[in-house]
Amino acid sequence: MKIIVTSLGPSLDSPMDVRFGRAARFILFDDESQGFQIIENTQNLNAAQGAGLQAAEIVSRAGAECVLTGHCGPKAFKALTAAGIRIYTGVDGTVAEAIDRLRAGQLKQAESADSQGHAF
Amino acid sequence: MQQLAVISGKGGTGKTSVVACFAALAGEKVLVDCDVDAADLHLVLSPTILETHEFRSGHVARIREEDCRFCGECMESCRFDAIGPVGDGFCYQVDPIACEGCRVCVEFCPAQAIDFEERTCGEWFISETSHGPMVHARLGIAAENSGKLVTTIRQAGHEIAENQGRSLLLIDGPPGIGCPVIASITGTDFVLVVAEPTLSSLHDFDRVISLTAHFRIPTAVCVNKWDLNPEITRRIEQAARSRNVSIAGRVRYDPAVTQAQVKRLSTVEYGGQAADDIRKVWERIRARTTGLVQIDSH
Amino acid sequence: MKIAIASGKGGTGKTTLAVNLALVVPEAVALLDCDVEEPNCHIFLAPTVDRSEAIGVMVPVVDPDRCLACGSCSHFCQYHAIAGLDTGPLIFPELCHSCGGCVRVCPTGAMSETTREIGLVEEGWAGPVRVIQGRLRITEASSPPLIRAVKKRAPADGMTLIDCPPGTSCPVIAALRGVDFAILVTEPTPFGLHDLRLAVGTVRTLNIAFGVVVNRAQAGNRSIHEYCEAERIPILLEVPDSRQVAEAYSKGLSVLDALPGLRGDLDRLYREIKIRVGPETGSEPRECPAPRQKRSPDQPAGRDSQSQS
């Protein structure tokens, strides 16, 4: 299983970024190989519009099955759901801690977007 | 941090005058003038501009005359009637005002004679006023996309408030119910609608509270110049109650409001009966919003 | 002849002027309410609506059987209206500008277009005045397609008055485009003067002949006059500030009754504009080749009905 975690830094010890669309970067963690890959999100960070959607595209194309983040807006939520990706919001701590909690079954899947979109 | 937006549905109800008073009354806040089409708050608050930023949004197509083969593909492709022949020459031209920057003509020009340039739509400013920091903007004439500019300046205001530890973002919203209004109120904690006792305002009030209900934002109304028509004032307030919108008070008709504006002062600084009314409205809103659960949206 | 009534900010008396001018004009007149976010002319004229039509815009739909999920459509879209997921595109119709680009770039022909309703155009008679108004659906963000639909329904002959939305951005441009003359309504306050400047910039950019009407004029306050003299802008009419007018307006009553001299003033205003526009100069045909078949984004959604509502 591949997991995307929004992260402020480039390692598993980095603190998570609470933002999804405007996350500093994504860490794509592969549960089987225990390896990870960094996907920078520079373009979306500065986008005035559509950041959530484009982030959803990145996640979808990376082949991830679930996303661990802080907040997720309605458009990104809709897009991720349509792509069959599970979303866990309200997650904090470091990237590694978040992954551990997911494995331990301590995270609850989000049923709807938890923040309102700013850009319309 | 709390975000409070003041909107009106219909224009000219006295919204900006009310916001200027709140600016004078509120404690630690950042002001954002989201009425970018007809920004007026700076006329009362006389800001000193600290930073100027260019606002670019979207693109505009431009046909290179020397490469145009006059085939007409671009004109046929354009859904916005933005392309037509120029003069008696054999060249097409894009009307930058009508162009919506969709890139269709650029993509399908067989001569690849069309450039796609970033569009400068206006400027936005970070300023200092006697009532604290203010973010405001000037949209270029006939420029589009004010919703995006609204989002840009709200984000800037949000950042300033966070960096300086200010607890309130006070937003002067635009009229209407369209894109700029939606961009002004999404994600706010509280909306005040400034209405006036006219049938037009009553009608618009109904539409604007449907919008705040859609976004599930707690909303209150205050009727400005209420004594011009007590009957319609009552009808607006009735409509408010039936839709779960609270009443923040009434402000009476007072020529001092215009006199204050001419002197470039907020009504509460100038004084008068309307000033007393607005002060009470502000106190009620504070009482209402301090009871709200603090929602920290990233 | 098409006359637009506009102002930089709202609440200057734009709608009041448009409505009362329509009542005074001595020929067949259509009043177009292009303030589709907040249409208010009907409040004062109470037209009997005899025609109501849903207006739609074109938006894309995907045929999943033909889609390769290649991402061409989402990559092309300038408005972020399509998310290119690896399962195929997800469309956000409310962000679409109906440019048709995604349909044309799709390599397998999996994209086609359908219409999405954004509002209504209603028409009706209020006495001798034909009222045509647009009504944008709430939470709908983009009004220009609906404004264009309202304007398309203006009769070819006679007088058309257009009540514009406030501001200087896309909706106003859509309303002002192609008119013969614009009346800019303002009031003698610092806000009024500031917004008049913006409105003047807009009509000058669009190259439209215009003049100013000063509403709520106060003796002694010459700020608007000074500006107009310096800019060589004609002041066509001044309506005095009066609490009576404000009260009549608030009750939806005729301002013509509250202000006895107004009828004559509006008649003179109308005749002056006619002279300024000149004999049919506005409809002078532009030099251009025969128009080719065009695909229009503003198509009726197909609920054209002759309803009596």
Side-chain angles (χ1 to χ4, degrees), chain C residues 71-296:
Chain C
S72 302
C73 53
S74 69
H75 181 79
F76 185 83
C77 181
Q78 297 293 309
Y79 311 109
H80 307 297
I82 305 175
L85 307 172
D86 71 342
T87 46
L90 176 68
I91 295 159
F92 290 84
E94 69 275 19
L95 300 178
C96 176
H97 282 223
S98 310
C99 74
C102 54
V103 176
R104 292 186 65 181
V105 297
C106 177
T108 61
M111 297 287 252
S112 58
E113 286 178 291
T114 180
T115 52
R116 184 176 76 92
E117 195 182 321
I118 57 160
L120 289 175
V121 173
E122 295 164 325
E123 294 180 52
W125 292 103
V129 181
R130 186 72 176 161
V131 180
I132 306 170
Q133 69 168 17
R135 199 187 283 271
L136 190 70
R137 254 173 37 168
I138 289 164
T139 73
E140 203 59 60
S142 178
S143 59
L146 186 55
I147 292 169
R148 289 194 286 264
V150 171
K151 287 178 73 181
K152 247 179 231 164
R153 280 154 185 79
D157 307 318
M159 171 64 68
T160 298
L161 299 175
I162 299 172
D163 187 12
C164 295
T168 58
S169 64
C170 15
V172 191
I173 305 302
L176 282 172
R177 199 167 273 279
V179 303
D180 301 300
F181 194 87
I183 303 173
L184 304 182
V185 188
T186 187
E187 53 185 27
T189 64
F191 289 4
L193 178 58
H194 176 70
D195 297 326
L196 175 62
R197 285 203 172 97
L198 297 178
V200 166
T202 307
V203 290
R204 282 190 172 152
T205 305
L206 293 172
N207 217 357
I208 295 168
F210 68 100
V212 164
V213 167
V214 184
N215 194 18
R216 304 186 193 107
Q218 293 158 328
N221 187 335
R222 308 239 340 133
S223 56
I224 302 285
H225 292 79
E226 284 160 14
Y227 167 73
C228 288
E229 274 160 29
E231 293 282 328
R232 300 172 162 271
I233 298 166
I235 292 183
L236 304 168
L237 173 67
E238 291 178 58
V239 182
D241 189 25
S242 136
R243 187 171 164 134
Q244 272 165 297
V245 173
E247 284 181 10
Y249 171 81
S250 83
K251 289 172 188 150
L253 295 178
S254 167
V255 180
L256 291 173
D257 296 334
L259 211 62
L262 189 61
R263 186 177 288 273
D265 286 342
L266 290 177
D267 188 51
R268 272 190 295 280
L269 171 70
Y270 163 70
R271 276 183 285 156
E272 186 178 343
I273 291 172
K274 268 197 122 169
I275 292 165
R276 283 180 182 276
V277 171
E280 297 305 314
T281 49
S283 52
E284 196 175 279
R286 274 216 334 240
E287 190 84 23
C288 65
R292 299 168 69 163
Q293 177 103 45
K294 301 219 21 138
R295 292 176 283 242
S296 167

Side-chain angles (χ1 to χ4, degrees), chain B residues 37 39-40 71 73 75-79 95 100 102 142-143 177-178 197 200 203-204 207 229 232 261, chain C residues 37-40 78-79 97-98 104 113 136 141 168-169 177 189 194-195 205 249-251 292 294-295 297:
Chain B
D37 258 350
D40 282 338
C71 68
E73 173 62 36
M75 186 177 86
E76 196 189 337
S77 301
C78 180
R79 293 276 185 90
D95 173 357
E100 296 199 11
C102 72
I177 55 165
S200 311
H203 172 257
D204 297 348
R207 284 166 71 79
N229 192 324
I232 295 183
Q261 206 191 96
Chain C
E37 288 185 40
E38 310 285 5
N40 283 338
Q78 297 293 309
Y79 311 109
H97 282 223
S98 310
R104 292 186 65 181
E113 286 178 291
L136 190 70
T168 58
S169 64
R177 199 167 273 279
T189 64
H194 176 70
D195 297 326
T205 305
Y249 171 81
S250 83
K251 289 172 188 150
R292 299 168 69 163
K294 301 219 21 138
R295 292 176 283 242

Side-chain angles (χ1 to χ4, degrees), chain C residues 6-24:
Chain C
S7 68
K9 77 190 272 277
T12 56
K14 202 166 32 66
T15 300
T16 310
L17 183 72
V19 165
N20 288 289
L21 197 55
L23 293 172
V24 166

Side-chain angles (χ1 to χ4, degrees), chain B residues 218-233:
Chain B
T219 306
V221 62
C222 90
V223 181
N224 191 19
K225 306 176 211 164
W226 75 271
D227 48 334
L228 280 181
N229 192 324
E231 167 57 24
I232 295 183
T233 297

Side-chain angles (χ1 to χ4, degrees), chain A residues 1-45:
Chain A
M1 181 174 73
K2 285 181 177 171
I3 305 159
I4 284 266
V5 188
T6 51
S7 173
L8 287 170
S11 73
L12 295 179
D13 300 328
S14 307
M16 282 181 64
D17 195 329
V18 293
R19 302 166 300 180
F20 174 66
R22 288 176 205 287
R25 48 187 64 80
F26 302 107
I27 290 196
L28 178 67
F29 184 80
D30 190 333
D31 212 19
E32 281 161 33
S33 69
Q34 296 288 308
F36 71 93
Q37 195 187 327
I38 299 156
I39 305 172
E40 293 294 336
N41 193 35
T42 340
Q43 199 188 330
N44 279 341
L45 207 52

